[in-house]
Amino acid sequence: MAILVVGGDHPNQFADSAREAGVNRLHHWSGRRAADHHQPLPRDLRGIVLLIDHVNHGMAARVRRLASQHGLPVVYSARSRSQIRNALSRLAA
């Protein structure tokens, strides 16, 4: 299973929680670079975790729109480890 994490600077923080949830491929967009606003979604996604305390409204709206177009679930989370673990487990279910 592959997921996209949008927000945050260091995706390695999520690697342990992702492996526990059965995620074998973790894609990451920081949301800070202008290029992040123009990237296409990776093809193999199962869902998206949107870190609400690290993206602006424009990026959040773009991610929601892309997820809707591709039929992907979006889970919202703060950057705390326990909330990310819960978000990943909801996507894995």
Side-chain angles (χ1 to χ4, degrees), residues 6-9 30-32 51-56 59 77-79:
V6 180
D9 291 326
S30 69
R32 294 179 188 262
L51 300 178
I52 57 175
D53 50 352
H54 283 272
V55 296
N56 61 32
M59 185 66 174
S77 174
R79 203 188 62 163

Side-chain angles (χ1 to χ4, degrees), residues 1 5-6 9 11 14 19 23-24 28 32 40 44 50-51 55 61 65 74 78 83 92:
M1 171 172 83
V5 176
V6 180
D9 291 326
F14 319 120
R19 265 186 255 113
V23 175
N24 56 13
H28 178 252
R32 294 179 188 262
D44 58 347
L50 184 63
L51 300 178
V55 296
R65 186 174 56 252
V74 177
Q83 285 190 8

Side-chain angles (χ1 to χ4, degrees), residues 4 17-18 26 35 45-46 50-51 55 58-59 66 68-69 71-72 76 87 89 91:
L4 172 64
S17 299
L26 184 68
L45 289 183
R46 171 102 182 253
L50 184 63
L51 300 178
V55 296
M59 185 66 174
L66 285 172
S68 175
Q69 290 171 353
L72 294 170
Y76 303 93
S89 65
L91 282 178

Side-chain angles (χ1 to χ4, degrees), residues 17-18 20-21 77 80-90:
S17 299
E20 290 173 6
S77 174
S80 75
R81 190 173 293 258
S82 63
Q83 285 190 8
I84 290 171
R85 188 177 308 123
N86 290 338
L88 291 169
S89 65
R90 285 188 301 232

